[in-house]
Amino acid sequence: MSTITADTPGTATVTRVERREPAPIPFTRLLSVELRKSFDTRAGFWLMASIGIASLLATGAVLLWAPDSELTYSTFATAIGFPMAIILPMVAVLSVTSEWSQRSGLTSFTLVPNRSKVIAAKAGVTVGISVVSMLLAMAIGVVGTLVGSAILGISPVWDAGFVDLANIVLAQVLGMLVGFMLGVVIRSSSAAIVAYFVYSFALTAITEVLAATQDWFANLQPWVDFNYAQGALFNGSLNGEQWANLAVTGVVWLVAPLTFGLWSLMRSEVK
Amino acid sequence: MITVDSLTKTYGGFTAVDDVTFTARPGRVTGFLGPNGAGKSTTMRVMVGLTPATSGGVTVCGRQFRDLPNPGLEVGVLLDASAQHAGRTGREILTVAQRTMGLPKSRVDEMIDLVSLTSSEADRRVRDYSLGMRQRLGIATALLGQPEVLILDEPANGLDPAGIRWMRDLLRGYANQGATVLLSSHLLHEIEVIADDLVVIGNGRIVAQGAKSDLLATAGTLVRTPDVTALAHALTVSGVAFTKSAATGGDDVLRVEADTDVVGRVALEARVLLLELRPAEGAGLEEMFLELTSDTQRETVIEGAAA
């Protein structure tokens, strides 16, 4: 039987040295921490590495199998764009959802209670990664074009101008933001990834069928279908109406749900 | 200093935390004690802003947690040792926290040493950690910023006896330097040996709080006799208050609100045979805990919980 020997300290006589108030955490620090968190797990590292790997594979595939007449820069750019359109949104989804699915948010949001700052840093890193990845992809495309033309013994064909490339980067950034939005709204890795595929692939198939069979929808589609409106970005420069289509559908399919998601994320319970 | 003021948290019709008010003071270890589901973790999550309060609130270091400019440097928090990205190494988790707080890199190795993780363990991924190792990592994260307030939810979970002893000494040392230490547990003996102050919670409500010494001092005397009726009569005649002891379970035990010598004298004068006579505080907090929570315990409140 153990008896308790309470050392009844009375009121605390020990006083701590008065502390200086700590400086607030600068936003740049959060950006660097979030960037680090995108790379520091095995899954995160390979997801990032796969951006480069997939670009190289796509370039190699074009060199091997594309008809000689199509060994132009735009062919390479398009081929590299396909894997990017899948990988980049996954990076965006996981940067948000892992805080909930892996429950690391308990620490993240305790160290930085202002959740909007953490989410903004994630958004900044997300956009940064997509722009850098696309620049990398374009550089690989340049190499592919040069190698292709050298093999054929022709002069390289640069059939994509600055506007085309800028539009493609914008399309990839939008795709990544869609992933980010779904991550914010759903906050579960597996569900958000499934939702992304439904959103950008299943939905596209459905609207295509609908547009092909229903005239009223075919007329309406540019104003209601975000995927369709984004498609224009891959076909050269956009006219005023196409930009308007993109803006209207973007507000409905991206900005509105993202706003709702952020609103609910700020109020939710982190468990 | 942590001040909880009339804190209430409801989920739909269920009240998880019901008008809880208490203060954890600097230089003291405050034990937050209660059976499973009593509302300890919910209260602690509200403290650090992870769960919004329904009404009332908490201040830490004199302000709301979300208003602290760099909370990691003022408040060390460990709510759930398993809530870490399983794919990161222990060292990486500490590094992310160290960078967020803006501390020198050397703090990471200092903390790994402090919590007795080896260098190779620190380089393993957290999915391969035992619960005890996760707990050490969580404590390392909480102590990283040399905070003056510690909020730890069940920190002894998963630690071996030597680890529990180590943690107890560590927290005692922190409190002796003037830090505010709040730790929760459902393990009575764990809290009993370390806490200066106690807050006992059951079904979301505080059922007892105060200095441990005061709470134990009121425990009185336990007396066992084959002739309960005669002893009860004698005690009543002498004007000494008593109750049947709830915690010990026996029919033949009374808990008397008087010292042992008073009870012994009453028994001697009434010529009642005693089998056992001892200060109730010897039974420790368990007596108090079971007694205080007996009407709010899981086993007995099924109809209350459904309401």
Side-chain angles (χ1 to χ4, degrees):
Chain A
M1 174 115 256
S2 67
T3 42
I4 310 137
T5 48
D7 45 334
T8 46
T11 48
T13 48
V14 204
T15 44
R16 282 207 140 186
V17 188
E18 200 58 41
R19 292 171 165 238
R20 276 187 303 129
E21 167 154 329
I25 301 173
F27 187 68
T28 47
R29 196 192 289 165
L30 294 182
L31 282 174
S32 78
V33 167
E34 287 303 329
L35 183 63
R36 186 184 178 102
K37 281 158 75 176
S38 322
F39 285 93
D40 70 356
T41 63
R42 208 172 278 166
F45 175 80
W46 284 109
L47 202 53
M48 297 300 235
S50 67
I51 292 173
I53 295 169
S55 304
L56 288 172
L57 288 178
T59 306
V62 171
L63 284 174
L64 283 176
W65 292 301
D68 291 357
S69 62
E70 286 187 16
L71 276 182
T72 66
Y73 186 65
S74 66
T75 309
F76 285 102
T78 310
I80 297 169
F82 279 120
M84 291 283 179
I86 295 172
I87 298 168
L88 291 178
M90 293 304 106
V91 173
V93 164
L94 293 176
S95 82
V96 181
T97 58
S98 64
E99 299 283 2
W100 278 266
S101 288
Q102 294 281 345
R103 302 185 63 218
S104 50
L106 254 74
T107 308
S108 305
F109 297 125
T110 307
L111 292 178
V112 187
N114 188 341
R115 297 182 201 171
S116 57
K117 279 193 186 167
V118 178
I119 298 298
K122 285 180 188 295
V125 168
T126 296
V127 172
I129 287 174
S130 57
V131 170
V132 170
S133 308
M134 287 314 293
L135 292 178
L136 174 76
M138 284 169 184
I140 293 174
V142 167
V143 174
T145 312
L146 290 173
V147 171
S149 57
I151 292 170
L152 292 179
I154 57 170
S155 58
V157 183
W158 306 108
D159 55 349
F162 175 77
V163 174
D164 301 309
L165 295 181
N167 282 348
I168 290 174
V169 171
L170 178 61
Q172 297 287 6
V173 170
L174 286 176
M176 204 162 177
L177 286 176
V178 166
F180 189 80
M181 175 274 286
L182 291 169
V184 168
V185 171
I186 297 171
R187 279 172 255 147
S188 152
S189 298
S190 45
I193 288 172
V194 170
Y196 179 77
F197 283 102
V198 170
Y199 187 106
S200 20
F201 297 104
L203 207 58
T204 312
I206 292 168
T207 52
E208 263 175 31
V209 172
L210 204 58
T213 53
Q214 305 285 325
D215 282 344
W216 63 267
F217 185 77
N219 296 327
L220 202 60
Q221 193 177 18
W223 294 102
V224 296
D225 187 345
F226 190 35
N227 292 316
Y228 181 88
Q230 285 181 75
L233 289 170
F234 292 101
N235 304 317
S237 56
L238 277 67
N239 61 33
E241 188 179 334
Q242 285 173 310
W243 281 116
N245 290 342
L246 196 60
V248 169
T249 53
V251 165
V252 173
W253 286 90
L254 180 60
V255 178
L258 185 59
T259 309
F260 164 77
L262 291 172
W263 175 83
S264 93
L265 187 150
M266 295 305 150
R267 278 152 192 79
S268 70
E269 196 174 15
V270 181
K271 284 197 159 181
Chain B
M1 177 98 127
I2 306 168
T3 310
V4 182
D5 184 23
S6 316
L7 178 67
T8 298
K9 173 67 189 173
T10 57
Y11 295 94
F14 173 70
T15 305
V17 179
D18 190 358
D19 196 25
V20 163
T21 299
F22 69 89
T23 303
R25 287 180 289 155
R28 317 219 359 134
V29 176
T30 304
F32 196 23
L33 191 60
N36 295 327
K40 303 185 295 290
S41 298
T42 307
T43 304
M44 288 177 140
R45 275 208 312 277
V46 173
M47 279 179 191
V48 299
L50 292 178
T51 293
T54 305
S55 68
V58 183
T59 58
V60 185
C61 304
R63 28 172 138 181
Q64 302 233 336
F65 190 86
R66 66 166 177 271
D67 295 332
L68 298 173
N70 191 343
L73 301 182
E74 297 184 73
V75 188
V77 181
L78 170 59
L79 293 184
D80 185 343
S82 295
Q84 288 297 354
H85 197 301
R88 291 201 178 103
T89 65
R91 190 186 301 279
E92 179 61 22
I93 283 168
L94 287 173
T95 304
V96 166
Q98 165 254 321
R99 289 190 162 223
T100 308
M101 293 183 219
L103 294 166
K105 211 170 164 38
S106 57
R107 281 296 287 166
V108 171
D109 286 323
E110 285 170 37
M111 286 300 107
I112 289 170
D113 284 345
L114 179 74
V115 301
S116 315
L117 286 174
T118 65
S119 193
S120 70
E121 284 170 338
D123 290 328
R124 264 194 253 161
R125 287 173 203 281
V126 167
R127 74 163 57 86
D128 301 323
Y129 273 29
S130 68
L131 180 56
M133 287 163 72
R134 285 172 201 217
Q135 208 68 257
R136 285 171 188 270
L137 180 66
I139 291 169
T141 312
L143 298 180
L144 198 60
Q146 293 178 299
E148 58 191 298
V149 174
L150 286 175
I151 298 174
L152 310 172
D153 196 0
E154 311 254 355
N157 257 7
L159 290 178
D160 52 30
I164 290 177
R165 180 60 187 265
W166 160 80
M167 191 197 63
R168 189 190 300 159
D169 294 345
L170 186 86
L171 297 183
R172 171 47 57 199
Y174 250 74
N176 288 347
Q177 288 167 40
T180 306
V181 180
L182 177 70
L183 78 158
S184 76
S185 182
H186 60 270
L187 300 172
L188 303 158
H189 295 294
E190 194 37 59
I191 288 276
E192 192 172 5
V193 283
I194 186 176
D196 304 310
D197 295 320
L198 289 172
V199 177
V200 188
I201 187 171
N203 264 12
R205 284 176 167 276
I206 288 187
V207 289
Q209 63 174 315
K212 180 178 69 180
S213 46
D214 292 347
L215 289 171
L216 289 176
T218 60
T221 297
L222 280 181
V223 57
R224 184 186 299 268
T225 172
D227 194 351
V228 175
T229 321
L231 183 62
H233 179 71
L235 288 168
T236 311
V237 169
S238 312
V240 180
F242 64 92
T243 52
K244 289 222 164 185
S245 176
T248 48
D251 285 342
D252 55 348
V253 180
L254 295 179
R255 203 169 69 79
V256 187
E257 288 170 26
D259 288 339
T260 43
D261 59 338
V262 174
V263 180
R265 201 176 308 273
V266 169
L268 177 66
E269 282 162 9
R271 300 181 60 79
V272 177
L273 174 66
L274 299 186
L275 299 176
E276 194 179 347
L277 177 68
R278 61 184 167 95
E281 91 180 87
L285 275 175
E286 188 143 24
E287 169 82 11
M288 187 191 93
F289 183 67
L290 284 171
E291 200 171 303
L292 289 172
T293 56
S294 60
D295 49 328
T296 50
Q297 261 189 94
R298 202 160 269 279
E299 284 74 17
T300 54
V301 285
I302 293 121
E303 71 281 0

